[in-house]
Amino acid sequence: MIIDGKKIAENLRETLKKQIEQIPSNQPKPGLTVILIGEDPASQIYVRNKEKFANEIGINSKVLRFDSSITEEALTKEIHKLNQDREVHGILVQLPLPKHINSKNIINQIEPSKDVDGFHPINVGNLSSGNDALVPCTPYGCYLLLKEVISDFNGLNAVVIGRSNINGKPMTQLLLKENCTVTITHSKTKNLKNICQGADILVASVGIAKLVKQDWVKSDCVVIDVGINRIEENGSKKLVGDVDFENVKDKVKAITPVPGGVGPMTISCLLQNTLKAYQKINSQK
Ligand code: GUN
């Protein structure tokens, strides 16, 4: 079975749109501001899509664009302004940042209640402590896709390939919360294929094109492919995941395609986080 991330993401946006339509007209709408620095082509596309989908469902979305020469100090000031802005409920700084800016310092400046990426240490800590948190969008999207095909996670063997702060680590926390037995692996893991062969759930998020092959997976495995790798094949440019989709798709219980799997979910989860931040901020007024 192929998991249709595009459709599931669309349904989530539809649900969020209806919730936003319920907000009385005398109240402000949820606001999301994305900060984009420099000219990275992939980031430009991601940010354009975030803005488009946010506005489509009734979130006031703005993009603040800065030249890649902006200093860490100037960027910090911009974030502090957004922290104070009552019309802004979600702040996202698109990564990667130029080399002269320390991403950790910048993320630490975002007010945790507006940190819709879930990257601030307060949100990371709350997620791992089992407290209410804004959860990073990519792993949350993966989790919602898994829920489409798995009704009982208890005791399942989950293998996560990749240990990033954006996906691998928070993915592990979400699976642990569901009582999975989680193995976190990465590019230096020995016997990776062997470990994957025991997986009921496999989340591939390591950035190696078509790494996972048919003989890496069991036939009842659910495979979530987070990879976005641009490769050249037979003279044409292609976008492929960390899983060799054509090789694996007919063997496993379910699999996400690239594109059209995790990617669209990530944006819908960002919009969900923005609405969640809005509701929480308003409930504390
Ligand atoms: N760049 C790639 N993925 C992400 C993400 O989830 N959030 C941000 N802010 N930047 C990214």
Side-chain angles (χ1 to χ4, degrees):
M1 175 200 174
I2 293 169
I3 304 172
D4 188 349
K6 199 166 165 226
K7 185 80 210 147
I8 298 163
E10 216 173 281
N11 292 345
L12 176 54
R13 287 200 303 278
E14 207 42 54
T15 304
L16 296 170
K17 187 173 179 208
K18 287 193 183 121
Q19 288 175 21
I20 292 168
E21 279 167 1
Q22 303 294 316
I23 298 171
S25 56
N26 61 349
Q27 277 180 33
K29 294 276 180 198
L32 169 69
T33 298
V34 176
I35 295 181
L36 174 61
I37 296 160
E39 305 293 329
D40 180 72
S43 291
Q44 303 273 348
I45 297 170
Y46 294 149
V47 166
R48 206 180 312 133
N49 283 333
K50 285 170 184 173
E51 185 183 27
K52 173 175 161 254
F53 285 124
N55 286 324
E56 260 177 36
I57 67 159
I59 290 175
N60 286 330
S61 170
K62 273 189 213 150
V63 180
L64 295 181
R65 291 185 167 79
F66 297 102
D67 193 84
S68 55
S69 63
I70 189 170
T71 63
E72 203 169 299
E73 199 188 356
L75 182 55
T76 300
K77 275 197 186 137
E78 293 294 336
I79 292 172
H80 288 175
K81 273 196 256 170
L82 296 172
N83 286 345
Q84 298 299 324
D85 189 334
R86 292 166 66 93
E87 288 179 12
V88 174
H89 308 90
I91 303 168
L92 182 146
V93 179
Q94 185 66 28
L95 302 176
L97 293 176
K99 289 206 169 57
H100 66 278
I101 298 178
N102 181 320
S103 306
K104 284 193 177 146
N105 290 348
I106 291 302
I107 288 165
N108 286 348
Q109 299 305 320
I110 300 172
E111 156 60 38
S113 63
K114 297 187 177 186
D115 167 37
V116 283
D117 252 332
F119 293 165
H120 190 286
I122 293 271
N123 281 313
V124 176
N126 277 335
L127 174 63
S128 64
S129 307
N131 300 332
D132 187 44
L134 287 165
V135 178
C137 308
T138 303
Y140 199 71
C142 295
Y143 169 67
L144 293 181
L145 293 178
L146 285 168
K147 285 223 303 191
E148 291 280 324
V149 281
I150 298 172
S151 52
D152 183 6
F153 285 76
N154 282 299
L156 293 183
N157 286 326
V159 175
V160 179
I161 317 177
R163 55 178 152 179
S164 67
N165 292 335
I166 293 185
N167 191 63
K169 286 183 203 156
M171 187 76 237
T172 303
Q173 296 297 344
L174 290 171
L175 292 165
L176 271 177
K177 225 167 152 178
E178 289 291 339
N179 301 323
C180 290
T181 304
V182 188
T183 308
I184 182 155
T185 69
H186 44 79
S187 57
K188 306 271 191 308
T189 298
K190 291 185 177 138
N191 302 321
L192 182 57
K193 172 174 165 181
N194 217 251
I195 297 168
C196 292
Q197 284 168 340
D200 302 309
I201 294 171
L202 180 64
V203 181
S205 174
V206 70
I208 303 174
K210 299 187 179 184
L211 174 72
V212 176
K213 308 281 184 200
Q214 201 177 77
D215 59 345
W216 287 45
V217 289
K218 295 194 293 171
S219 58
D220 60 351
C221 186
V222 177
V223 181
I224 304 291
D225 191 352
V226 187
I228 304 175
N229 307 292
R230 283 161 229 276
I231 62 162
E232 211 166 309
E233 207 171 65
N234 309 325
S236 64
K237 292 198 168 106
K238 269 181 84 177
L239 201 66
V240 299
D242 292 349
V243 179
D244 190 338
F245 182 77
E246 286 305 322
N247 185 255
V248 169
K249 73 176 191 327
D250 293 327
K251 178 169 183 185
V252 292
K253 179 175 165 193
I255 184 169
T256 59
V258 175
V262 174
M265 285 304 286
T266 299
I267 297 187
S268 293
C269 290
L270 169 69
L271 307 180
Q272 178 166 280
N273 272 352
T274 305
L275 183 57
K276 181 176 171 173
Y278 169 84
Q279 286 164 338
K280 192 153 185 198
I281 290 167
N282 281 340
S283 74
Q284 287 163 348
K285 272 184 189 160

